[in-house]
Amino acid sequence: MTASTAPGEHPTILATLREMSGTVRILFLGNLIINLAAFLNAFLVLFLTGKGFSAWESGAVLTALMIGRISGSAVGGAAADRFGYRRAIIGSMAASAVLTAALVHVPNVWTAMLVAGGAGLTAQAYRPAAMAWLVELTPKDRQVIAFSVWRLTFNIGTTVGPVGAALLLAYASYSALFYVDAATSLAFGVIAYAALRSGPEPEGRAKRTDEGERVGYRQVFADRRFMLVVLGLFVTAIAYIQSSAALPLFVTGSGHTEKVYAALLSVNGFLVIAFEVLLSKWTQRLPIGLPMALGMVLLGAGQLVYAGPSSVTVLVLATAVWTAGEIIAAPSMMAYPGLVAPPALRARYIAAATVPQHVGNAIGPMIGIAAWHAWGSGVWLLTGAFGLVAACLVLAGTGLPRRRAQDEPDEAPAMAANQAAAEQST
Protein backbone atom coordinates (compact mmCIF):
# COMPACT_ATOMS: atom_id res chain seq x y z
CA MET A 1 0.00 0.00 0.00
CA THR A 2 1.29 3.43 -0.87
CA ALA A 3 0.19 6.10 1.55
CA SER A 4 -0.33 9.31 -0.38
CA THR A 5 -1.82 11.22 2.54
CA ALA A 6 0.71 13.63 3.98
CA PRO A 7 1.36 13.63 7.73
CA GLY A 8 -1.28 15.65 9.56
CA GLU A 9 -3.76 15.41 6.69
CA HIS A 10 -6.98 13.47 6.96
CA PRO A 11 -7.47 10.64 4.43
CA THR A 12 -10.13 11.12 1.80
CA ILE A 13 -12.68 8.51 0.79
CA LEU A 14 -11.26 8.22 -2.72
CA ALA A 15 -7.70 7.86 -1.41
CA THR A 16 -8.81 5.18 1.02
CA LEU A 17 -10.58 3.24 -1.73
CA ARG A 18 -7.69 3.64 -4.17
CA GLU A 19 -5.06 2.45 -1.72
CA MET A 20 -6.91 -0.58 -0.36
CA SER A 21 -5.09 -3.86 -0.79
CA GLY A 22 -6.43 -6.51 -3.14
CA THR A 23 -7.39 -8.66 -0.16
CA VAL A 24 -9.58 -5.92 1.32
CA ARG A 25 -11.32 -5.42 -2.02
CA ILE A 26 -12.01 -9.15 -2.27
CA LEU A 27 -13.47 -9.12 1.24
CA PHE A 28 -15.80 -6.30 0.21
CA LEU A 29 -16.79 -8.20 -2.92
CA GLY A 30 -17.50 -11.34 -0.93
CA ASN A 31 -19.64 -9.43 1.55
CA LEU A 32 -21.67 -8.02 -1.34
CA ILE A 33 -22.05 -11.40 -3.07
CA ILE A 34 -23.35 -13.34 -0.11
CA ASN A 35 -25.76 -10.60 0.97
CA LEU A 36 -27.27 -10.38 -2.51
CA ALA A 37 -28.66 -13.88 -1.93
CA ALA A 38 -29.11 -14.08 1.84
CA PHE A 39 -32.59 -15.56 1.53
CA LEU A 40 -32.76 -17.98 4.45
CA ASN A 41 -34.06 -15.59 7.11
CA ALA A 42 -36.85 -14.16 4.99
CA PHE A 43 -38.11 -17.26 3.20
CA LEU A 44 -37.38 -20.27 5.41
CA VAL A 45 -40.79 -20.32 7.11
CA LEU A 46 -42.68 -19.93 3.82
CA PHE A 47 -40.60 -22.68 2.23
CA LEU A 48 -41.16 -25.11 5.10
CA THR A 49 -44.89 -24.49 5.38
CA GLY A 50 -45.11 -25.03 1.62
CA LYS A 51 -43.44 -28.42 2.14
CA GLY A 52 -46.09 -29.43 4.68
CA PHE A 53 -44.41 -28.42 7.95
CA SER A 54 -46.75 -26.87 10.49
CA ALA A 55 -46.42 -23.23 11.49
CA TRP A 56 -45.04 -24.30 14.87
CA GLU A 57 -42.47 -26.60 13.30
CA SER A 58 -41.42 -23.91 10.83
CA GLY A 59 -41.01 -21.42 13.67
CA ALA A 60 -38.87 -23.91 15.59
CA VAL A 61 -36.59 -24.35 12.58
CA LEU A 62 -36.28 -20.57 12.19
CA THR A 63 -35.39 -20.31 15.88
CA ALA A 64 -32.66 -22.91 15.37
CA LEU A 65 -31.34 -20.85 12.46
CA MET A 66 -31.23 -17.72 14.63
CA ILE A 67 -29.49 -19.54 17.49
CA GLY A 68 -26.96 -20.83 15.00
CA ARG A 69 -26.30 -17.32 13.71
CA ILE A 70 -25.82 -15.99 17.24
CA SER A 71 -23.31 -18.71 18.13
CA GLY A 72 -21.62 -18.50 14.72
CA SER A 73 -19.80 -15.28 15.56
CA ALA A 74 -18.31 -16.75 18.73
CA VAL A 75 -17.22 -19.93 16.95
CA GLY A 76 -15.90 -17.97 13.99
CA GLY A 77 -13.90 -15.62 16.19
CA ALA A 78 -12.14 -18.49 17.95
CA ALA A 79 -11.50 -20.31 14.67
CA ALA A 80 -10.09 -17.20 13.00
CA ASP A 81 -7.66 -16.46 15.83
CA ARG A 82 -6.59 -20.10 16.02
CA PHE A 83 -6.39 -21.22 12.40
CA GLY A 84 -6.03 -17.98 10.46
CA TYR A 85 -8.45 -15.73 8.65
CA ARG A 86 -8.28 -17.30 5.19
CA ARG A 87 -8.94 -20.81 6.47
CA ALA A 88 -11.81 -19.60 8.63
CA ILE A 89 -13.47 -17.87 5.66
CA ILE A 90 -13.03 -20.83 3.31
CA GLY A 91 -14.31 -23.34 5.86
CA SER A 92 -17.25 -21.16 6.85
CA MET A 93 -18.39 -20.56 3.29
CA ALA A 94 -17.97 -24.18 2.17
CA ALA A 95 -19.95 -25.52 5.12
CA SER A 96 -22.60 -22.83 4.70
CA ALA A 97 -23.08 -23.76 1.04
CA VAL A 98 -23.54 -27.46 1.82
CA LEU A 99 -25.92 -26.94 4.73
CA THR A 100 -28.03 -24.28 3.00
CA ALA A 101 -28.54 -26.56 -0.03
CA ALA A 102 -29.31 -29.46 2.32
CA LEU A 103 -32.26 -27.55 3.79
CA VAL A 104 -34.13 -28.17 0.56
CA HIS A 105 -34.12 -31.91 1.30
CA VAL A 106 -34.76 -32.15 5.07
CA PRO A 107 -37.28 -34.94 5.80
CA ASN A 108 -38.55 -33.89 9.25
CA VAL A 109 -38.52 -31.07 11.76
CA TRP A 110 -35.66 -32.45 13.88
CA THR A 111 -33.36 -32.81 10.91
CA ALA A 112 -34.44 -29.39 9.70
CA MET A 113 -33.59 -27.80 13.06
CA LEU A 114 -30.16 -29.44 13.10
CA VAL A 115 -29.34 -28.42 9.53
CA ALA A 116 -30.73 -24.90 9.96
CA GLY A 117 -28.72 -24.38 13.14
CA GLY A 118 -25.57 -25.46 11.34
CA ALA A 119 -26.38 -23.29 8.35
CA GLY A 120 -26.87 -20.26 10.57
CA LEU A 121 -23.65 -20.92 12.46
CA THR A 122 -21.47 -21.39 9.40
CA ALA A 123 -23.03 -18.49 7.49
CA GLN A 124 -22.08 -16.13 10.30
CA ALA A 125 -18.70 -17.63 11.22
CA TYR A 126 -16.78 -15.91 8.42
CA ARG A 127 -17.49 -12.39 9.67
CA PRO A 128 -15.00 -12.12 12.55
CA ALA A 129 -12.22 -13.37 10.27
CA ALA A 130 -13.12 -11.00 7.45
CA MET A 131 -13.50 -8.00 9.74
CA ALA A 132 -10.30 -8.76 11.67
CA TRP A 133 -8.40 -9.10 8.38
CA LEU A 134 -9.85 -5.78 7.26
CA VAL A 135 -8.59 -4.19 10.48
CA GLU A 136 -5.09 -5.59 10.06
CA LEU A 137 -4.75 -4.40 6.46
CA THR A 138 -6.21 -0.91 6.92
CA PRO A 139 -4.39 1.99 8.61
CA LYS A 140 -6.05 3.02 11.84
CA ASP A 141 -6.93 6.47 10.55
CA ARG A 142 -8.95 4.91 7.70
CA GLN A 143 -10.83 2.12 9.41
CA VAL A 144 -14.08 4.00 10.01
CA ILE A 145 -14.19 4.80 6.29
CA ALA A 146 -13.38 1.17 5.46
CA PHE A 147 -16.16 -0.15 7.67
CA SER A 148 -18.63 2.33 6.20
CA VAL A 149 -17.80 0.80 2.80
CA TRP A 150 -18.24 -2.66 4.34
CA ARG A 151 -21.71 -1.63 5.52
CA LEU A 152 -22.44 -0.16 2.10
CA THR A 153 -21.79 -3.51 0.42
CA PHE A 154 -24.09 -5.13 2.98
CA ASN A 155 -26.85 -2.56 2.48
CA ILE A 156 -26.66 -2.73 -1.30
CA GLY A 157 -26.83 -6.52 -1.14
CA THR A 158 -29.84 -6.59 1.18
CA THR A 159 -31.59 -3.88 -0.86
CA VAL A 160 -31.08 -5.45 -4.27
CA GLY A 161 -31.41 -9.04 -3.06
CA PRO A 162 -35.21 -9.03 -2.64
CA VAL A 163 -35.57 -8.09 -6.31
CA GLY A 164 -33.62 -11.21 -7.24
CA ALA A 165 -35.75 -13.25 -4.84
CA ALA A 166 -38.92 -12.00 -6.50
CA LEU A 167 -37.59 -13.02 -9.93
CA LEU A 168 -36.60 -16.46 -8.71
CA LEU A 169 -40.00 -17.01 -7.14
CA ALA A 170 -41.72 -15.82 -10.32
CA TYR A 171 -39.75 -18.06 -12.68
CA ALA A 172 -38.49 -20.87 -10.44
CA SER A 173 -39.29 -21.98 -6.87
CA TYR A 174 -38.40 -21.64 -3.20
CA SER A 175 -35.85 -24.41 -3.68
CA ALA A 176 -34.08 -22.25 -6.25
CA LEU A 177 -33.76 -19.49 -3.64
CA PHE A 178 -31.82 -21.76 -1.32
CA TYR A 179 -29.68 -23.20 -4.10
CA VAL A 180 -28.74 -19.68 -5.20
CA ASP A 181 -28.03 -18.74 -1.58
CA ALA A 182 -25.77 -21.78 -1.30
CA ALA A 183 -24.10 -20.97 -4.63
CA THR A 184 -23.13 -17.46 -3.51
CA SER A 185 -21.56 -18.84 -0.33
CA LEU A 186 -19.67 -21.39 -2.41
CA ALA A 187 -18.59 -18.65 -4.83
CA PHE A 188 -17.11 -16.59 -2.01
CA GLY A 189 -15.38 -19.67 -0.64
CA VAL A 190 -13.85 -20.40 -4.05
CA ILE A 191 -12.78 -16.76 -4.43
CA ALA A 192 -11.20 -16.89 -0.96
CA TYR A 193 -9.35 -20.10 -1.84
CA ALA A 194 -8.14 -18.87 -5.21
CA ALA A 195 -7.57 -15.16 -4.69
CA LEU A 196 -6.99 -14.48 -1.00
CA ARG A 197 -3.40 -14.94 -0.02
CA SER A 198 -2.65 -15.16 3.65
CA GLY A 199 1.06 -14.49 3.47
CA PRO A 200 2.41 -14.22 7.00
CA GLU A 201 -0.48 -14.06 9.47
CA PRO A 202 1.41 -13.28 12.66
CA GLU A 203 -1.69 -11.88 14.38
CA GLY A 204 -4.21 -14.47 13.22
CA ARG A 205 -3.17 -17.53 15.21
CA ALA A 206 -3.73 -18.67 18.77
CA LYS A 207 -0.92 -17.63 21.08
CA ARG A 208 0.00 -18.04 24.70
CA THR A 209 0.26 -15.40 27.35
CA ASP A 210 3.37 -14.78 29.39
CA GLU A 211 2.02 -17.21 31.98
CA GLY A 212 1.80 -19.93 29.34
CA GLU A 213 -2.00 -19.97 29.11
CA ARG A 214 -3.66 -20.06 25.72
CA VAL A 215 -5.48 -16.87 24.88
CA GLY A 216 -9.25 -17.05 24.60
CA TYR A 217 -12.54 -15.40 25.44
CA ARG A 218 -11.63 -15.29 29.14
CA GLN A 219 -9.13 -12.56 28.35
CA VAL A 220 -11.76 -10.67 26.37
CA PHE A 221 -14.27 -10.79 29.22
CA ALA A 222 -11.60 -9.58 31.63
CA ASP A 223 -11.35 -6.30 29.69
CA ARG A 224 -13.93 -4.45 31.77
CA ARG A 225 -13.91 -1.24 29.80
CA PHE A 226 -14.42 -3.08 26.56
CA MET A 227 -17.27 -5.03 28.12
CA LEU A 228 -18.94 -1.73 29.08
CA VAL A 229 -18.92 -0.83 25.39
CA VAL A 230 -20.25 -4.27 24.52
CA LEU A 231 -23.10 -3.75 26.98
CA GLY A 232 -23.80 -0.43 25.27
CA LEU A 233 -23.92 -2.18 21.89
CA PHE A 234 -26.38 -4.73 23.32
CA VAL A 235 -28.70 -2.00 24.62
CA THR A 236 -28.40 -0.17 21.30
CA ALA A 237 -29.46 -3.28 19.41
CA ILE A 238 -32.62 -3.56 21.52
CA ALA A 239 -33.51 0.03 20.65
CA TYR A 240 -32.56 -0.21 16.98
CA ILE A 241 -34.54 -3.38 16.24
CA GLN A 242 -37.77 -1.55 17.14
CA SER A 243 -37.79 -0.27 13.57
CA SER A 244 -38.91 -3.79 12.67
CA ALA A 245 -40.90 -4.59 15.83
CA ALA A 246 -42.71 -1.74 17.59
CA LEU A 247 -42.62 0.76 14.72
CA PRO A 248 -44.97 -1.08 12.32
CA LEU A 249 -47.45 -1.62 15.16
CA PHE A 250 -47.19 2.03 16.16
CA VAL A 251 -47.64 3.34 12.61
CA THR A 252 -50.71 1.23 11.82
CA GLY A 253 -52.07 1.75 15.33
CA SER A 254 -51.86 5.50 14.77
CA GLY A 255 -54.24 5.24 11.83
CA HIS A 256 -51.70 5.10 8.99
CA THR A 257 -51.44 2.39 6.37
CA GLU A 258 -48.64 -0.11 5.83
CA LYS A 259 -47.47 2.08 2.95
CA VAL A 260 -46.45 4.78 5.43
CA TYR A 261 -44.33 2.24 7.32
CA ALA A 262 -42.75 1.09 4.06
CA ALA A 263 -42.00 4.73 3.21
CA LEU A 264 -40.25 5.19 6.57
CA LEU A 265 -38.05 2.17 5.87
CA SER A 266 -37.28 3.66 2.47
CA VAL A 267 -36.23 6.93 4.11
CA ASN A 268 -33.89 5.00 6.37
CA GLY A 269 -32.41 2.93 3.54
CA PHE A 270 -31.91 5.91 1.24
CA LEU A 271 -30.20 8.05 3.87
CA VAL A 272 -27.86 5.25 4.95
CA ILE A 273 -26.79 4.32 1.42
CA ALA A 274 -26.50 7.93 0.27
CA PHE A 275 -24.67 9.50 3.20
CA GLU A 276 -22.94 6.99 5.46
CA VAL A 277 -19.74 6.62 3.44
CA LEU A 278 -19.57 10.37 2.79
CA LEU A 279 -20.01 11.23 6.46
CA SER A 280 -17.41 8.69 7.56
CA LYS A 281 -14.69 11.03 6.26
CA TRP A 282 -15.52 13.35 9.17
CA THR A 283 -16.48 10.81 11.83
CA GLN A 284 -13.13 9.11 11.20
CA ARG A 285 -11.40 12.21 12.61
CA LEU A 286 -13.21 12.10 15.95
CA PRO A 287 -12.18 10.20 19.07
CA ILE A 288 -13.57 6.71 18.46
CA GLY A 289 -16.08 6.81 21.31
CA LEU A 290 -17.59 10.17 20.35
CA PRO A 291 -19.42 9.22 17.11
CA MET A 292 -20.60 6.01 18.77
CA ALA A 293 -22.10 7.89 21.72
CA LEU A 294 -23.47 10.72 19.57
CA GLY A 295 -25.15 8.24 17.24
CA MET A 296 -26.74 6.41 20.15
CA VAL A 297 -28.06 9.71 21.55
CA LEU A 298 -29.62 10.49 18.17
CA LEU A 299 -31.08 6.98 18.00
CA GLY A 300 -32.75 7.54 21.35
CA ALA A 301 -33.82 11.09 20.47
CA GLY A 302 -35.41 9.96 17.20
CA GLN A 303 -37.41 7.31 19.00
CA LEU A 304 -38.51 9.81 21.63
CA VAL A 305 -39.87 12.01 18.82
CA TYR A 306 -42.23 9.15 17.91
CA ALA A 307 -43.89 9.68 21.30
CA GLY A 308 -45.15 13.07 20.13
CA PRO A 309 -47.77 13.84 17.46
CA SER A 310 -48.11 10.96 14.99
CA SER A 311 -48.49 12.90 11.75
CA VAL A 312 -46.60 11.65 8.72
CA THR A 313 -44.28 14.65 8.89
CA VAL A 314 -43.32 13.88 12.49
CA LEU A 315 -42.85 10.19 11.66
CA VAL A 316 -40.50 11.07 8.81
CA LEU A 317 -38.60 13.54 11.01
CA ALA A 318 -38.20 10.99 13.79
CA THR A 319 -36.99 8.37 11.31
CA ALA A 320 -34.47 10.79 9.84
CA VAL A 321 -33.12 11.61 13.31
CA TRP A 322 -32.52 8.01 14.41
CA THR A 323 -31.19 7.17 10.95
CA ALA A 324 -28.65 9.98 11.38
CA GLY A 325 -27.64 8.25 14.58
CA GLU A 326 -27.17 4.99 12.71
CA ILE A 327 -25.09 6.70 10.02
CA ILE A 328 -22.85 8.40 12.58
CA ALA A 329 -22.38 5.48 14.97
CA ALA A 330 -22.41 2.27 12.94
CA PRO A 331 -19.02 2.43 11.14
CA SER A 332 -17.24 3.38 14.38
CA MET A 333 -19.10 0.63 16.24
CA MET A 334 -17.78 -1.89 13.74
CA ALA A 335 -14.23 -0.52 13.77
CA TYR A 336 -13.89 -0.19 17.54
CA PRO A 337 -13.42 -3.85 18.64
CA GLY A 338 -10.61 -4.50 16.18
CA LEU A 339 -8.89 -1.23 17.02
CA VAL A 340 -8.66 -1.87 20.77
CA ALA A 341 -8.09 -5.64 20.68
CA PRO A 342 -4.72 -7.25 21.37
CA PRO A 343 -3.53 -8.65 18.02
CA ALA A 344 -3.84 -12.30 19.07
CA LEU A 345 -7.45 -11.75 20.17
CA ARG A 346 -8.65 -9.47 17.39
CA ALA A 347 -11.27 -11.82 15.90
CA ARG A 348 -12.50 -12.80 19.35
CA TYR A 349 -12.96 -9.15 20.32
CA ILE A 350 -14.96 -8.60 17.16
CA ALA A 351 -17.07 -11.68 17.89
CA ALA A 352 -17.57 -10.64 21.51
CA ALA A 353 -18.98 -7.32 20.32
CA THR A 354 -21.14 -8.97 17.64
CA VAL A 355 -22.85 -11.73 19.62
CA PRO A 356 -24.57 -9.41 22.15
CA GLN A 357 -25.91 -7.35 19.26
CA HIS A 358 -27.44 -10.49 17.76
CA VAL A 359 -28.94 -11.31 21.15
CA GLY A 360 -30.32 -7.78 21.41
CA ASN A 361 -31.86 -8.13 17.97
CA ALA A 362 -33.42 -11.43 19.07
CA ILE A 363 -34.98 -10.28 22.35
CA GLY A 364 -35.62 -6.68 21.34
CA PRO A 365 -38.85 -7.44 19.44
CA MET A 366 -40.30 -9.18 22.49
CA ILE A 367 -39.46 -6.18 24.68
CA GLY A 368 -40.77 -3.64 22.18
CA ILE A 369 -43.99 -5.46 21.36
CA ALA A 370 -44.74 -6.13 25.03
CA ALA A 371 -44.14 -2.45 25.84
CA TRP A 372 -46.35 -1.41 22.92
CA HIS A 373 -49.22 -3.55 24.16
CA ALA A 374 -48.77 -2.30 27.72
CA TRP A 375 -48.12 1.43 27.15
CA GLY A 376 -48.87 2.23 23.51
CA SER A 377 -46.72 5.12 22.37
CA GLY A 378 -44.99 4.97 25.75
CA VAL A 379 -42.79 2.28 24.25
CA TRP A 380 -40.71 5.09 22.75
CA LEU A 381 -39.98 6.53 26.18
CA LEU A 382 -38.47 3.18 27.11
CA THR A 383 -36.51 2.48 23.94
CA GLY A 384 -35.48 6.11 23.56
CA ALA A 385 -34.00 5.92 27.05
CA PHE A 386 -32.11 2.81 25.96
CA GLY A 387 -30.26 4.89 23.39
CA LEU A 388 -29.22 7.42 26.03
CA VAL A 389 -28.12 4.69 28.44
CA ALA A 390 -26.09 3.06 25.66
CA ALA A 391 -24.31 6.36 24.99
CA CYS A 392 -23.32 6.65 28.65
CA LEU A 393 -21.99 3.09 28.69
CA VAL A 394 -19.93 3.70 25.57
CA LEU A 395 -18.42 6.91 26.92
CA ALA A 396 -17.57 5.15 30.18
CA GLY A 397 -15.97 2.29 28.30
CA THR A 398 -13.99 4.15 25.67
CA GLY A 399 -12.49 6.77 27.96
CA LEU A 400 -9.48 8.94 27.19
CA PRO A 401 -6.83 6.24 26.63
CA ARG A 402 -8.83 4.72 23.80
CA ARG A 403 -10.20 7.84 22.23
CA ARG A 404 -7.92 8.19 19.25
CA ALA A 405 -6.67 5.20 17.34
CA GLN A 406 -4.20 7.55 15.58
CA ASP A 407 -2.28 7.95 18.84
CA GLU A 408 -1.22 4.30 18.69
CA PRO A 409 1.45 2.85 16.41
CA ASP A 410 -0.08 1.83 13.12
CA GLU A 411 0.96 -1.66 12.02
CA ALA A 412 -1.40 -1.82 9.06
CA PRO A 413 0.97 -0.40 6.41
CA ALA A 414 3.57 -3.05 7.22
CA MET A 415 0.91 -5.76 7.23
CA ALA A 416 -0.44 -4.49 3.94
CA ALA A 417 3.06 -4.53 2.47
CA ASN A 418 3.49 -8.14 3.57
CA GLN A 419 0.10 -8.94 2.09
CA ALA A 420 0.98 -7.27 -1.22
CA ALA A 421 4.21 -9.23 -1.36
CA ALA A 422 2.31 -12.46 -0.76
CA GLU A 423 -0.18 -11.59 -3.51
CA GLN A 424 2.61 -10.76 -5.97
CA SER A 425 4.48 -13.98 -5.18
CA THR A 426 1.50 -15.99 -6.31
Side-chain angles (χ1 to χ4, degrees):
M1 179 186 294
T2 59
S4 62
T5 305
E9 293 183 4
H10 295 290
T12 65
I13 296 170
L14 290 178
T16 300
L17 294 174
R18 185 172 55 250
E19 297 167 9
M20 285 177 178
S21 72
T23 293
V24 172
R25 293 176 183 177
I26 291 171
L27 293 175
F28 286 149
L29 176 63
N31 196 47
L32 173 63
I33 289 173
I34 61 175
N35 282 294
L36 282 171
F39 300 138
L40 270 185
N41 287 12
F43 296 99
L44 181 60
V45 169
L46 292 175
F47 169 73
L48 292 174
T49 54
K51 284 191 64 173
F53 286 72
S54 69
W56 181 89
E57 290 173 333
S58 300
V61 176
L62 181 61
T63 299
L65 176 69
M66 294 297 102
I67 292 174
R69 292 181 66 85
I70 291 173
S71 59
S73 291
V75 173
D81 282 336
R82 182 172 179 79
F83 301 112
Y85 304 146
R86 178 173 178 265
R87 291 178 180 176
I89 292 171
I90 294 171
S92 170
M93 291 295 95
S96 176
V98 171
L99 292 170
T100 301
L103 275 171
V104 176
H105 307 284
V106 290
N108 55 60
V109 64
W110 301 110
T111 304
M113 290 176 64
L114 181 63
V115 174
L121 186 152
T122 53
Q124 191 67 28
Y126 89 96
R127 293 184 186 276
M131 293 170 66
W133 211 348
L134 173 59
V135 168
E136 290 194 1
L137 295 179
T138 305
K140 287 184 170 65
D141 65 344
R142 301 179 183 212
Q143 288 190 15
V144 171
I145 295 176
F147 275 107
S148 71
V149 177
W150 175 271
R151 274 179 45 86
L152 178 64
T153 61
F154 171 83
N155 288 323
I156 291 175
T158 54
T159 300
V160 177
V163 178
L167 293 174
L168 285 170
L169 290 176
Y171 296 102
S173 64
Y174 281 116
S175 298
L177 286 179
F178 293 168
Y179 286 137
V180 170
D181 193 333
T184 56
S185 296
L186 182 61
F188 186 22
V190 170
I191 292 172
Y193 179 80
L196 290 180
R197 291 292 178 261
S198 298
E201 280 190 52
E203 318 300 357
R205 302 295 179 88
K207 299 179 181 176
R208 296 182 181 274
T209 63
D210 294 338
E211 292 77 16
E213 296 180 356
R214 187 175 294 278
V215 298
Y217 282 109
R218 180 180 299 178
Q219 284 76 16
V220 180
F221 299 146
D223 188 340
R224 295 181 180 178
R225 293 174 58 195
F226 176 71
M227 295 310 296
L228 279 175
V229 177
V230 169
L231 180 59
L233 299 180
F234 168 71
V235 175
T236 300
I238 295 176
Y240 179 79
I241 198 62
Q242 301 312 321
S243 62
S244 301
L247 184 56
L249 296 176
F250 173 71
V251 170
T252 55
S254 300
H256 303 290
T257 66
E258 292 82 355
K259 293 181 180 179
V260 172
Y261 173 65
L264 297 180
L265 294 184
S266 297
V267 168
N268 168 257
F270 169 77
L271 292 176
V272 170
I273 292 175
F275 296 108
E276 186 168 282
V277 174
L278 296 175
L279 192 61
S280 65
K281 175 183 176 181
W282 286 275
T283 57
Q284 174 72 73
R285 305 174 186 179
L286 301 174
I288 189 66
L290 184 57
M292 295 164 63
L294 176 59
M296 292 168 185
V297 168
L298 288 174
L299 171 64
Q303 296 198 350
L304 289 173
V305 173
Y306 283 137
S310 56
S311 67
V312 173
T313 300
V314 173
L315 294 178
V316 171
L317 174 63
T319 302
V321 171
W322 68 255
T323 298
E326 177 185 359
I327 291 170
I328 292 170
S332 296
M333 288 166 55
M334 297 188 74
Y336 178 78
L339 285 171
V340 302
L345 291 168
R346 187 164 280 133
R348 283 184 173 90
Y349 263 68
I350 291 170
T354 302
V355 170
Q357 294 179 70
H358 287 317
V359 175
N361 288 333
I363 70 173
M366 293 183 289
I367 294 174
I369 292 172
W372 159 251
H373 283 295
W375 304 316
S377 61
V379 62
W380 304 118
L381 301 178
L382 174 66
T383 61
F386 281 4
L388 305 182
V389 169
C392 294
L393 289 168
V394 164
L395 288 176
T398 52
L400 290 174
R402 288 182 173 175
R403 279 192 170 183
R404 291 194 66 85
Q406 293 92 324
D407 294 339
E408 302 174 5
D410 192 354
E411 301 173 356
M415 294 177 183
N418 290 339
Q419 184 69 33
E423 292 170 356
Q424 292 173 1
S425 66
T426 58

